[in-house]
Amino acid sequence: MSAPHIVIVGAGHAGGTAAALLRQYGYGGPISLVGEEPIPPYQRPPLSKAWLKGEADAGSLALKPLAFYAENGIDFRPSLRATSLNRGEKTVALSDGSAVSYDTLILATGARAIALPIEGKDLAGILFLRTAADAEALKATVGPGKTLAVVGGGYIGLEVAASGRALGAEVVVLEREARILARVACKALSDFFTGYHEKHGVTFELGCSVVGFEGRDGHVSGVKLADGRVIACDAVVVGVGAHPNDELARDAGLECARGVVVDLDARSVSDPNVFAIGDVAHRPMPIYDRMFRMESVPNALEQAKQAASAVTGRPRPLGECPWQWSDQYDLKLQIAGYAFDVDEILIRGDPATARFAVFHLKGDQVQSVEAINAPPEFMMGKMLILNRKPVNKAKLADTCVSMKEVTA
Ligand code: FAD
């Protein structure tokens, strides 16, 4: 009998990593990696940071050189979209009219940027930032003498704002909520980032509703706000969140909840032959006793590991503490955990020094930490979250007490 065929749909961070891990874990059977983008799996974080600012070349984005896939017997099939999944026949239909049969299917289709369904949305110069191609278009637009309007004050929007300033553009951030990062960070952190960006010349319109785009000769020239004002600009980046690419799974009857519902092995709860990993998965997170979807590189890597381990019969990876990061100017923000059910926020250090950490506590347990230029607070905070160890709050708030001592 021939070895089972593993088909991975989506050649991004999670899919590319899963393919490489399967080989690393000794899987010798056929692996196909199908991706709709024309290039091999690459890292997205630099697209809004170093790469956008011209500090990293395109080659440095790739997870592995193209030759890696052939050398490791991975049938990498770029520029092909999976259009439907037939679970009964165990086949995936592809955009070139062919179909591929699988024994095990790994869905790694990621997420896509959410568009605004408003007047003028199709004008040239209205951009998103999800792919290397998107980033090329943005880089070609931003520069001295240009004004960039960023719709959405989340992490990606703010990174684009910082990179835009580094490239010499005027930048205005338009945010619907009363503060930036409202969905993902506490007020102290929002205030800190607002002040830091303003110091670097970014202007903010907060609590404003974008209702349309104005254009000249088919190209965007302004953003219309609900209060009647028009913010003049040469380009717009819409960064209002992402939606999981879970339609293949939904249409095939797999349980989805804004993402494909999976278990601790990243296996679909509806079909033992299908896994879902990365941004497209709605997954359990035991340390919070919850299910949710995450959009981060560490999550993509962790779930690739879970699926590759399950497929090759290795033990399940140890429990993890979710984390992510954001780089803006000379700031390195590292975030561990999620601020669920928090009843107290404790700030260690002085935000005025741009080196501090915000701890989110539930009783005497750390639920999450946001550390700015503060690696020990991040590392030790992550450990406290994972171990669910009670913390002495007085010591935690006192920067004269080292983080090592706090966690002892
Ligand atoms: P992706 O990397 O998006 O890959 C999914 C792939 O599947 C894509 O290539 C897509 O084209 C393909 N695909 C979709 N549907 C189909 C189909 N039907 N058929 C074939 N192929 C398909 N995370 C951090 O932790 N830190 C950061 O600083 C950070 N910065 C970011 C900056 C930007 C600009 C972006 C966009 C993301 C950033 N992220 C960051 C998030 C991180 O990059 C994602 O969480 C990660 O890429 C998820 O990996 P994935 O494989 O699930 O999805």
Side-chain angles (χ1 to χ4, degrees):
M1 210 176 84
S2 58
H5 185 191
I6 301 175
V7 174
I8 303 170
V9 174
H13 219 123
T17 304
L21 280 177
L22 284 165
R23 285 291 181 246
Q24 192 183 316
Y25 292 172
Y27 184 70
I31 300 174
S32 297
L33 176 60
V34 178
E36 67 180 339
E37 291 188 73
I39 53 177
Y42 59 92
Q43 315 172 57
R44 289 173 209 277
L47 299 181
S48 50
K49 311 178 183 75
W51 186 88
L52 187 56
K53 288 188 285 180
E55 292 168 3
D57 61 44
S60 68
L61 296 181
L63 294 187
K64 304 271 185 200
L66 179 60
F68 168 87
Y69 300 94
E71 282 164 12
N72 286 276
I74 296 166
D75 173 28
F76 170 50
R77 304 179 68 183
S79 303
L80 264 186
R81 182 172 176 76
T83 52
S84 67
L85 160 62
N86 184 328
R87 292 200 288 129
E89 290 178 5
K90 288 192 173 180
T91 55
V92 178
L94 303 175
S95 50
D96 64 356
S98 67
V100 58
S101 301
Y102 66 84
D103 296 289
T104 298
L105 177 68
I106 301 180
L107 295 172
T109 45
R112 59 181 176 274
I114 294 174
L116 294 172
I118 54 177
E119 181 197 343
K121 67 180 172 45
D122 296 324
L123 288 164
I126 298 175
L127 308 169
F128 298 88
L129 186 50
R130 183 73 205 178
T131 64
D134 294 339
E136 291 277 1
L138 177 59
K139 201 174 182 177
T141 308
V142 183
K146 303 281 184 192
T147 297
L148 176 66
V150 178
V151 181
Y155 286 121
I156 290 184
L158 294 179
E159 288 175 358
V160 169
S163 300
R165 288 301 294 147
L167 290 167
E170 298 300 320
V171 180
V172 53
V173 175
L174 309 164
E175 169 57 52
R176 187 184 56 184
E177 305 296 329
R179 61 181 176 91
I180 56 169
L181 301 174
R183 275 189 306 126
V184 289
C186 65
K187 187 165 179 314
L189 207 71
S190 298
D191 291 346
F192 170 77
F193 273 108
T194 305
Y196 214 82
H197 277 271
E198 282 175 343
K199 221 169 67 188
H200 285 80
V202 173
T203 53
F204 289 93
E205 291 288 344
L206 301 175
C208 70
S209 183
V210 172
V211 293
F213 299 107
E214 276 193 352
R216 203 176 303 122
D217 301 328
H219 195 282
V220 70
S221 60
V223 183
K224 282 190 198 173
L225 304 183
D227 63 10
R229 284 181 299 151
V230 175
I231 308 293
C233 63
D234 300 290
V236 175
V237 172
V238 179
V240 296
H243 185 84
N245 292 321
D246 60 6
E247 289 78 3
L248 274 181
R250 266 177 203 281
D251 294 348
L254 294 171
E255 186 178 333
C256 291
R258 220 170 167 265
V260 186
V261 180
V262 297
D263 65 14
L264 285 168
D265 291 323
R267 196 188 296 268
S268 158
V269 295
S270 319
D271 187 334
N273 302 309
V274 180
F275 292 76
I277 59 176
D279 284 11
V280 77
H282 183 82
R283 56 163 294 199
M285 180 50 69
I287 55 169
Y288 296 114
D289 197 19
R290 281 174 192 245
M291 306 271 301
F292 53 100
R293 194 176 72 80
M294 281 176 260
E295 289 175 13
S296 74
V297 165
N299 175 58
L301 300 179
E302 188 61 30
Q303 283 210 291
K305 220 184 275 177
Q306 290 171 353
S309 300
V311 169
T312 54
R314 289 167 69 100
R316 185 181 288 158
L318 295 174
E320 95 265 32
C321 172
W323 67 278
Q324 56 193 304
W325 76 95
S326 175
D327 298 333
Q328 297 163 43
Y329 310 107
D330 54 349
L331 302 174
K332 175 130 207 122
L333 167 68
Q334 292 169 297
I335 306 166
Y338 283 81
F340 292 126
D341 310 323
V342 164
D343 47 41
E344 191 179 347
I345 285 174
L346 188 153
I347 299 181
R348 179 180 162 93
D350 180 2
T353 63
R355 189 198 175 292
F356 67 103
V358 183
F359 286 87
H360 298 257
L361 299 158
K362 178 183 176 187
D364 54 8
Q365 276 190 344
V366 177
Q367 294 289 83
S368 155
V369 58
E370 294 151 327
I372 305 269
N373 293 339
E377 278 72 7
F378 168 70
M379 291 304 295
M380 298 296 185
K382 199 166 157 215
M383 223 171 72
L384 287 168
I385 296 166
L386 191 57
N387 299 343
R388 313 312 281 152
K389 203 174 156 190
V391 72
N392 180 317
K393 294 182 204 172
K395 284 186 178 175
L396 184 63
D398 184 354
T399 49
C400 295
V401 181
S402 75
M403 279 306 293
K404 215 167 165 190
E405 220 177 302
V406 172
T407 53

